Amino acid sequence: MRPHLDCVQMRPHVIVNCAMTADGKIAGKSRRQFRISSTEDMERVRKLRTESEAILVGVNTILADDPHLTVKGLSRDTAPIRIVLDSNGRTPDQAEVLNDCARTIIVTNRRCARTWKGAEVLRMGERAVDLHELMKELEARKVQRLMVEGGGETIWSFFNAGLVDEYRIFVGSMVLGGRTAPSPVDGEGFEDHGCVRLQLMSTQLLGGGVLLCYEVVRDVPPA
Ligand SMILES: NC(=O)c1ccc[n+]([C@@H]2O[C@H](COP(=O)([O-])OP(=O)(O)OC[C@H]3O[C@@H](n4cnc5c(N)ncnc54)[C@H](OP(=O)(O)O)[C@@H]3O)[C@@H](O)[C@H]2O)c1
């Protein structure tokens, strides 16, 4: 049973999904992509993407990994929309996320004037992208499930804004180390007593690693 009351949610259901090493890193100190997921986990991620209307990453992930964020077997019109948080317009013109295989939205702040061939641009927020405004826009576009794939700054912003419903983390069986290596949730961090509580919903061995699925525990609003 869910441990919290669900408010009527007029926004997409947000699932954070990422892969970390057994020592809690989502990439090494070079911040370049490093394969952590097993083949079985990659298949799970493919399925989760298929079931989502949109997939979101921060621009540092675009610059570090140049992911295409597409789903094999889905056409441009049926694939989830790719969304990049990019306040200052740093996404390179040749980024894979701008290819023709799926629709792409780049979200900048209101001061940025850059445009891209191959992407729709939304402008919201004065500095960083305003996530609450973005959620309203996605709700209006009938996005029911949003998958947030990283990196750590982006996932932190979603937690900090109270916008995460589920947290799914694959733990790969390796150690990377490095005090500057990114973790699933970076950002400023909460004060010790302000942490986000999670309820563990399931665990699964998945090709040499383990998948942990949590739901975010919401405070019961006062009567
Ligand atoms: N293992 C995994 O599953 C996985 C998945 C994804 C990424 N990664 C790794 O994660 C690393 C990148 O993560 P990262 O934490 O450096 O960056 P990130 O989360 O990918 O991107 C953060 C950037 O997005 C922009 N942004 C705009 N609005 C934002 C908002 N409201 N909240 C947060 N960011 C906003 C900011 O740049 P501007 O100020 O320029 O707009 C910010 O610095 C890479 O090493 C990558 O390999 C790993």
Side-chain angles (χ1 to χ4, degrees):
M1 203 172 82
R2 293 168 73 113
H4 56 78
L5 290 181
D6 259 337
C7 309
V8 180
Q9 189 176 279
M10 295 303 289
R11 62 165 175 83
H13 184 80
V14 174
I15 301 179
V16 167
N17 184 86
C18 75
M20 71 174 187
T21 61
D23 59 327
K25 314 292 183 190
I26 60 169
K29 60 185 177 182
S30 70
R31 301 183 89 83
R32 296 280 153 210
Q33 189 170 37
F34 176 82
R35 180 163 163 189
I36 297 169
S37 285
S38 60
T39 306
E40 292 82 347
D41 186 54
M42 288 170 79
E43 177 52 27
R44 177 194 64 84
V45 172
R46 193 195 67 76
K47 191 160 177 289
L48 183 57
R49 282 184 178 176
T50 307
E51 294 163 353
S52 306
E53 283 82 27
I55 304 171
L56 181 147
V57 297
V59 64
N60 290 349
T61 295
I62 298 296
L63 295 171
D65 306 347
D66 196 17
H68 49 71
L69 301 179
T70 50
V71 187
K72 217 171 172 183
L74 295 188
S75 67
R76 180 183 165 85
D77 291 333
T78 54
I81 301 167
R82 303 172 290 188
I83 302 174
V84 182
L85 299 183
D86 184 7
S87 329
N88 303 303
R90 294 191 290 137
T91 299
D93 285 326
Q94 67 281 9
E96 284 291 348
V97 77
L98 296 169
N99 69 23
D100 224 18
C101 303
R103 292 160 293 163
T104 298
I105 298 175
I106 296 183
V107 196
T108 73
N109 65 24
R110 274 191 268 280
R111 288 182 287 190
C112 176
R114 190 165 168 204
T115 57
W116 291 263
K117 191 169 173 289
E120 179 184 356
V121 183
L122 296 175
R123 305 191 194 278
M124 35 189 68
E126 296 308 317
R127 291 166 70 102
V129 171
D130 183 328
L131 298 184
H132 289 284
E133 205 178 328
L134 178 59
M135 289 301 106
K136 275 191 208 147
E137 180 63 33
L138 295 182
E139 172 69 21
R141 291 173 185 234
K142 310 242 179 302
V143 170
Q144 292 181 13
R145 178 183 276 190
L146 171 67
M147 188 179 166
V148 175
E149 292 205 18
E153 294 295 329
T154 294
I155 295 174
W156 155 256
S157 286
F158 272 85
F159 271 114
N160 194 33
L163 290 172
V164 180
D165 299 295
E166 293 182 50
Y167 178 61
R168 300 185 186 180
I169 183 104
F170 177 81
V171 186
S173 298
M174 71 276 286
V175 164
L176 261 175
R179 66 179 64 84
T180 58
S183 75
V185 190
D186 286 328
E188 282 171 35
F190 295 108
E191 297 302 327
D192 293 351
H193 298 292
C195 67
V196 173
R197 301 276 168 201
L198 304 174
Q199 166 132 345
L200 183 61
M201 304 306 285
S202 68
T203 62
Q204 187 184 358
L205 283 175
L206 214 49
V210 59
L211 174 69
L212 305 173
C213 296
Y214 297 92
E215 283 186 4
V216 171
V217 177
R218 301 211 184 281
D219 291 336
V220 179

